Amino acid sequence: MSVSLHRLSGKREMENVHLALEEDDLYSGYNDYNPTFDSEELENDVGFQQAVRTSHGRRPPSRIPMTSSVGRPMTGAVQDGATRPMTAVRAAGYTSSLTRGSTFDPLGQSKGPAPPLEAKNEDTPEEKIKILEKKVNDLIEESCMAHSMGSLQLALEKAKEAGRKERALVRQREQSGNADHINLDLTYSVLLNLANQYENNEMYPEALNSYQVIVKNKMFSNAGRLKVNMANIYFKQKNYPKAIKFYRMALDQISNAHKEMRIKIMQNIGVVFVRMGQYSDAITSFEHIMSESPNIKTGFNLILCYYAIGDRERMKKAFQKLISVPLGIDDEDKYIPSNDDTSSNMVTEAIKNDKLHQMERDLKILAEKYIMTAAKLIAPAVETSFATGFDWCVDMVKSSQYVELANDLEINKAITYLRQKDFNQAVETLKTFEKKDSRVKSAAATNLSFLYFLEKDYDQADRYADLAMTADRYNPAALINKGNTVFIKQDYEKAAEFYKEALRNDSSCTEALYNLGLTYKKLNRLEEALDCFLKLHAILRNSAQVMYQLAHLYELLEDPQQAIEWLMQVISVTPTDPQALAKLGELHDGEGDKSQAFQYYYESFRYFPSNIDVIEWLGAYYIETQFCEKAIQYFERATLIQPTQVKWQLMVASCYRRSGNYQKALETYKDIHHKFPENVECLRFLVRLCTDMGLKEVQEYATKLKKVEKMKEIREQRVKSGREGSGRGRREGREGSAGSAGISTPVLTSPKKASTMGISEDVKADSSHSSNSTKGERLSAKMRSLPASSEPYEASSPKELDASYMDPLGPQMERPKTGAKRRTEDDDFADEELGDDLLPE
């Protein structure tokens, strides 16, 4: 309210008082302002932005009249409905101009979008340098990532490209006059990465040159440490003197503050001395490390050096130092949850299998491995006998933090007895564990069961398998041994149950899976056996035994093509396996591919020239292809292998005869007659040859032939009469017993039928011998006679020859299908399947 007062007296005083009209706004004008001073809207002011970028703002400004409703100067002006508050405090978005028709817009949305940001100018030297630096850093990262993924060549290419970009960056800085601002860290990173990638790609000269560039540059701090990398390269190149020189140079440039780094370098120096055979110098390095910062690896290396120089007393001291090295890991009891505190149990579960606990477990396993190896190494050397040495090691271990290793050392003592073939001492040592705790008792009983199984004492093997299972039912090796003893007794269903239980306890137990497949094959459950061996093949990709079993199963399932494919995989793993090659030849022969069969049979003969079946097939193949001269060498080898079998020598003589070498055939027949004077076939061929060649010995051989034939007839009559007499005796006995029992019509079995039944029982009893005999019978049955047109010595009817053996080569078109001896499915069952039942050493 504006009032003008004057000092008057009386009524005249009130006359000069001017009252404001009600319709006037007493506060008008305070919010009016000139938009020129609105700094908040300068970014969106087109004229202002244009003036800043151009000379538009140099024009003289236009004058804006500023008046108020009462005729005095205003503190603000109104333009485009936007007002600027001039008071000290103002509520956000609220102005008095709202009453004048302006809209409420606190976010300024009515003014449209902000103008786009101005693009950077990449043509300036500084921008180019920054972009190039970023590219170099990206290339270094890509190189490291490629190396981590195993792409060594790509990592090297990226490292080389980073080096080229970095040199271009240095040149650009020099050209722009910023040579003083060269990024040394970037140059160091590029050179170090390039050297590392050269080393990873085994390009050692280039790597050494790159390291040398870094080491010789005095501007790089702590570059001397890279001499360790250079020494490592010299070590890989087996340049041991140079390696020691650079290790020592690096050791001189590293201060005592970096104790761990110095210890590692000294350990490397000791290892190089060991490679050079300078054990005394290596001992000096290792002893210094064990006195400053003892660790398991150095302690083990020190024992090896003492063992190499044969110092018995120092070996003992080093072993005591080794078992006293602190591992710095927590006790396993820490990870056992308590039943009371729930939150503590949750923490325990969380850290039970974390990375730190896994690292502790690995460190403990490594320490136990070194201690066990050292004990087995020095036990025979520290005392007069290995048993005394083992006892000393066991006593030392019992008094250390590795008490649980004492029992394992005792079991290793038994295994050492086994290697020395002292089975009695091994058994006695293992029997001492029968009263120990369950884990050790189970391990000892498992090994005892294995030993008795190998000795074919199946009752004792079964007894100790039961003992091992009683001590530890979850021991898969004990379950496998129990299954094997049941398998031997032909109780295949029960054996399969034990193998399945072993697999439930340890799904990675390959022995149980293999034995289960064999058991299913015995039970003729071929599909389940195939499933077992396919699973096993997924675990043991290069196991020839597993692949051979798969091939045999496919053969039993009458799928020869799949069998051939699996056998091809077998020979890719073991290309010199004669049995697999012979089996491939047999399968190809069965498919009618003679040339391919010949190739595999020939390869099998080349690796194992003593397989009669392979020799027989190759000889018959050459006879079929009219190369009798080549067949002679195979039958001669068969004669060497089986000198008591006359048929191989007769085949040699027949080959000479068919190839036209009659004189050699005559000499061979004479030699056969000298060795086998009662052989009818040999005498018959001698009579024919001598007759056709007009020799005087024909009468002699004819007389001998008649005598031998007569003797043979007499023997046959005696055998026949003996059979009839024994048959009458059996019939009379049966008739007597039947009469006493009141049976009037006895049921008799003909001699022929009885003979057949007896043969079938023999086949079941021993299938391997019957297969070999039947193959010989097939050969003799099919290779009976030669064509009369081509052989003048066989003009007589085949009936004149003896029925049991005729011409060994027979008609060429009737060559028998021979093959390699089939490998039985359970060959070496005990040896193959129980190999891992001994405790790992």
Side-chain angles (χ1 to χ4, degrees):
M1 181 177 178
S2 177
V3 179
S4 177
L5 297 178
H6 299 277
R7 291 185 176 274
L8 297 174
S9 60
K11 294 180 180 179
R12 292 187 55 99
E13 203 173 86
M14 298 298 296
E15 293 176 358
N16 294 318
V17 176
H18 300 280
L19 298 176
L21 299 177
E22 292 182 1
E23 61 272 10
D24 292 342
D25 186 2
L26 299 179
Y27 296 97
S28 63
Y30 285 101
N31 288 334
D32 297 337
Y33 67 100
N34 192 336
T36 306
F37 303 105
D38 188 2
S39 61
E40 295 180 358
E41 301 295 332
L42 291 179
E43 293 183 0
N44 298 329
D45 190 340
V46 179
F48 180 78
Q49 293 295 333
Q50 186 177 3
V52 170
R53 288 194 290 267
T54 63
S55 61
H56 181 74
R58 297 179 182 177
R59 293 179 296 174
S62 58
R63 298 182 60 85
I64 301 174
M66 294 182 291
T67 57
S68 65
S69 58
V70 292
R72 61 181 179 81
M74 294 174 57
T75 58
V78 178
Q79 183 175 354
D80 296 333
T83 60
R84 176 186 175 195
M86 301 302 293
T87 54
V89 179
R90 166 191 166 192
Y94 294 92
T95 62
S96 59
S97 62
L98 186 62
T99 58
R100 303 181 183 179
S102 63
T103 59
F104 177 73
D105 187 16
L107 300 178
Q109 297 178 358
S110 62
K111 299 173 183 176
L117 297 176
E118 186 177 355
K120 291 183 178 180
N121 188 3
E122 297 182 358
D123 295 335
T124 60
E126 287 299 327
E127 286 297 327
K128 290 181 178 179
I129 289 172
K130 287 181 181 179
I131 293 171
L132 205 53
E133 277 187 356
K134 188 177 184 306
K135 287 182 180 179
V136 173
N137 283 313
D138 292 342
L139 286 170
I140 294 174
E141 290 181 5
E142 290 174 7
S143 175
C144 295
M145 290 298 294
H147 172 255
S148 66
M149 292 185 292
S151 302
L152 302 181
Q153 189 62 36
L154 178 61
L156 179 60
E157 292 175 1
K158 294 289 184 181
K160 288 180 178 179
E161 188 176 355
R164 290 191 293 269
K165 295 283 186 183
E166 194 274 334
R167 287 191 293 272
L169 174 63
V170 171
R171 287 195 299 269
Q172 191 161 349
R173 282 188 182 278
E174 291 175 352
Q175 291 173 2
S176 62
N178 294 328
D180 296 336
H181 297 85
I182 293 176
N183 191 343
L184 291 177
D185 292 338
L186 185 62
T187 305
Y188 182 87
S189 301
V190 169
L191 291 173
L192 179 60
N193 181 59
L194 181 61
N196 285 334
Q197 301 308 330
Y198 275 133
E199 183 178 356
N200 295 329
N201 284 271
E202 298 183 359
M203 301 170 67
Y204 297 132
E206 292 85 352
L208 289 172
N209 291 336
S210 299
Y211 282 128
Q212 201 71 32
V213 170
I214 302 174
V215 170
K216 287 185 176 180
N217 194 334
K218 302 298 182 182
M219 299 179 68
F220 297 138
S221 59
N222 298 323
R225 295 187 180 186
L226 296 181
K227 290 183 179 178
V228 176
N229 294 14
M230 300 175 71
N232 291 340
I233 293 176
Y234 285 123
F235 180 82
K236 292 176 182 177
Q237 292 178 330
K238 298 185 178 181
N239 190 351
Y240 299 129
K242 207 76 174 283
I244 289 177
K245 175 184 176 182
F246 274 84
Y247 278 134
R248 285 177 171 169
M249 290 170 64
L251 196 64
D252 293 338
Q253 296 186 10
I254 295 175
S255 63
N256 293 327
H258 301 88
K259 182 179 177 181
E260 187 176 353
M261 177 66 73
R262 291 178 62 86
I263 290 295
K264 289 181 179 179
I265 295 175
M266 291 192 69
Q267 189 169 350
N268 287 4
I269 293 173
V271 171
V272 177
F273 277 129
V274 170
R275 290 294 183 92
M276 296 175 67
Q278 300 179 14
Y279 299 112
S280 299
D281 296 328
I283 287 171
T284 303
S285 297
F286 293 144
E287 283 181 342
H288 176 75
I289 296 172
M290 291 300 289
S291 62
E292 293 290 331
S293 177
N295 61 79
I296 291 293
K297 287 186 179 180
T298 305
F300 180 72
N301 290 339
L302 185 59
I303 291 175
L304 293 179
C305 292
Y306 286 144
Y307 180 82
I309 63 175
D311 195 333
R312 181 180 298 179
E313 293 301 322
R314 295 170 83 179
M315 266 191 278
K316 289 184 176 181
K317 293 180 181 178
F319 185 76
Q320 291 173 347
K321 286 182 180 179
L322 178 65
I323 60 179
S324 62
V325 171
L327 296 180
I329 61 178
D330 295 329
D331 191 6
E332 287 293 327
D333 295 339
K334 173 184 176 182
Y335 300 100
I336 299 176
S338 59
N339 297 325
D340 301 331
D341 192 354
T342 306
S343 59
S344 176
N345 291 345
M346 293 176 64
V347 173
T348 303
E349 288 294 329
I351 66 175
K352 184 182 293 184
N353 293 314
D354 62 353
K355 295 290 185 182
L356 181 60
H357 191 205
Q358 290 177 9
M359 185 187 72
E360 291 177 348
R361 280 200 298 260
D362 293 341
L363 181 60
K364 187 175 180 181
I365 291 171
L366 182 66
E368 292 176 352
K369 175 186 173 184
Y370 282 140
I371 292 170
M372 292 288 291
T373 307
K376 290 188 288 185
L377 177 68
I378 69 173
V382 294
E383 298 292 345
T384 54
S385 66
F386 94 93
T388 312
F390 255 109
D391 293 338
W392 180 85
C393 292
V394 169
D395 293 338
M396 290 296 103
V397 170
K398 283 181 179 178
S399 61
S400 70
Q401 56 182 326
Y402 303 98
V403 183
E404 64 274 6
L405 288 182
N407 293 324
D408 295 336
L409 278 173
E410 289 280 2
I411 292 177
N412 273 281
K413 180 181 176 182
I415 295 173
T416 307
Y417 278 126
L418 283 178
R419 290 203 178 100
Q420 296 178 354
K421 301 189 183 303
D422 192 348
F423 294 101
N424 294 329
Q425 284 291 338
V427 171
E428 290 299 323
T429 305
L430 290 171
K431 283 183 178 179
T432 60
F433 290 95
E434 291 186 15
K435 297 182 180 180
K436 296 289 183 70
D437 63 318
S438 60
R439 185 186 70 85
V440 180
K441 181 195 284 187
S442 178
T446 300
N447 289 329
L448 282 170
S449 176
F450 172 71
L451 286 174
Y452 284 122
F453 191 92
L454 293 181
E455 292 178 350
K456 298 185 179 180
D457 188 351
Y458 300 124
D459 294 332
Q460 284 286 72
D462 187 61
R463 172 177 170 268
Y464 279 101
D466 289 334
L467 183 62
M469 289 167 56
T470 304
D472 183 6
R473 184 70 187 187
Y474 298 99
N475 183 356
L479 292 165
I480 291 172
N481 285 354
K482 179 64 177 177
N484 290 344
T485 58
V486 177
F487 186 98
I488 291 297
K489 297 174 184 177
Q490 298 184 359
D491 189 354
Y492 302 123
E493 291 288 353
K494 196 171 181 181
E497 291 301 321
F498 283 114
Y499 297 141
K500 288 178 184 177
E501 186 175 354
L503 284 171
R504 285 194 294 270
N505 294 338
D506 182 6
S507 59
S508 63
C509 185
T510 55
E511 294 83 7
L513 194 56
Y514 188 92
N515 289 3
L516 183 62
L518 292 182
T519 307
Y520 283 143
K521 191 155 65 166
K522 282 288 187 182
L523 293 169
N524 203 29
R525 293 154 63 175
L526 301 180
E527 292 293 341
E528 295 178 61
L530 187 65
D531 184 56
C532 288
F533 285 113
L534 286 173
K535 289 179 181 177
L536 196 58
H537 177 66
I539 302 172
L540 306 174
R541 303 295 298 182
N542 296 322
S543 175
Q545 292 178 346
V546 175
M547 290 186 283
Y548 190 91
Q549 292 293 341
L550 286 166
H552 186 236
L553 281 169
Y554 277 115
E555 183 187 5
L556 294 177
L557 291 168
E558 299 179 356
D559 190 351
Q561 291 300 324
Q562 281 287 343
I564 289 172
E565 288 183 12
W566 281 106
L567 284 172
M568 292 296 293
Q569 293 191 41
V570 172
I571 64 172
S572 69
V573 177
T574 55
T576 59
D577 186 353
Q579 292 289 344
L581 291 166
K583 191 67 180 177
L584 269 171
E586 180 184 346
L587 290 172
H588 281 292
D589 189 21
E591 292 292 298
D593 192 350
K594 305 294 183 185
S595 60
Q596 196 73 16
F598 170 75
Q599 178 183 349
Y600 287 116
Y601 272 124
Y602 183 77
E603 287 295 312
S604 176
F605 174 79
R606 193 163 64 89
Y607 291 119
F608 184 61
S610 300
N611 191 329
I612 287 294
D613 298 325
V614 175
I615 292 171
E616 185 180 11
W617 192 96
L618 288 170
Y621 175 80
Y622 278 119
I623 291 170
E624 181 183 358
T625 55
Q626 304 290 338
F627 291 103
C628 297
E629 299 87 352
K630 291 185 178 181
I632 292 173
Q633 60 174 327
Y634 295 104
F635 293 133
E636 285 179 343
R637 183 172 290 276
T639 303
L640 294 174
I641 297 170
Q642 295 180 348
T644 60
Q645 293 287 333
V646 67
K647 66 177 181 179
W648 306 120
Q649 300 180 43
L650 289 171
M651 287 179 180
V652 172
S654 296
C655 287
Y656 280 126
R657 191 162 40 81
R658 294 193 70 183
S659 60
N661 194 346
Y662 305 131
Q663 187 63 36
K664 189 69 175 175
L666 180 63
E667 293 175 2
T668 306
Y669 279 125
K670 286 181 179 181
D671 186 54
I672 295 171
H673 174 65
H674 178 71
K675 294 178 182 177
F676 304 94
E678 296 182 358
N679 188 272
V680 177
E681 292 80 4
C682 179
L683 286 170
R684 286 175 179 169
F685 284 120
L686 278 171
V687 170
R688 292 180 189 176
L689 279 170
C690 291
T691 301
D692 292 339
M693 295 176 70
L695 300 178
K696 297 179 181 180
E697 295 96 332
V698 62
Q699 189 63 36
E700 177 187 352
Y701 290 126
T703 304
K704 289 182 179 180
L705 177 60
K706 291 179 181 179
K707 187 185 295 185
V708 170
E709 287 178 344
K710 190 173 182 180
M711 291 174 60
K712 187 175 181 181
E713 289 177 3
I714 293 171
R715 281 198 298 266
E716 289 177 354
Q717 287 177 359
R718 287 177 181 174
V719 172
K720 187 176 181 180
S721 62
R723 285 178 180 173
E724 290 176 355
S726 61
R728 280 197 301 271
R730 283 196 298 269
R731 284 197 298 273
E732 289 171 359
R734 283 198 296 270
E735 288 171 359
S737 61
S740 62
I743 300 175
S744 59
T745 309
V747 179
L748 300 178
T749 304
S750 65
K752 183 177 180 181
K753 185 174 181 181
S755 174
T756 306
M757 292 174 64
I759 290 173
S760 65
E761 290 172 1
D762 292 340
V763 171
K764 291 179 181 176
D766 191 357
S767 60
S768 62
H769 292 293
S770 66
S771 64
N772 290 336
S773 62
T774 53
K775 283 184 180 179
E777 291 169 4
R778 289 199 305 270
L779 183 70
S780 300
K782 289 192 176 182
M783 304 176 74
R784 295 287 187 184
S785 60
L786 294 175
S789 60
S790 60
E791 294 294 335
Y793 309 108
E794 298 176 10
S796 59
S797 174
K799 294 180 181 179
E800 297 177 4
L801 301 179
D802 183 73
S804 62
Y805 186 84
M806 300 186 71
D807 190 350
L809 299 181
Q812 295 180 13
M813 299 307 294
E814 296 182 7
R815 186 182 59 80
K817 293 182 179 179
T818 60
K821 181 180 178 181
R822 177 178 298 173
R823 181 184 297 176
T824 58
E825 60 270 15
D826 51 355
D827 281 348
D828 301 328
F829 178 81
D831 295 336
E832 293 177 6
E833 284 70 54
L834 300 179
D836 289 345
D837 289 350
L838 289 173
L839 289 180
E841 300 173 14

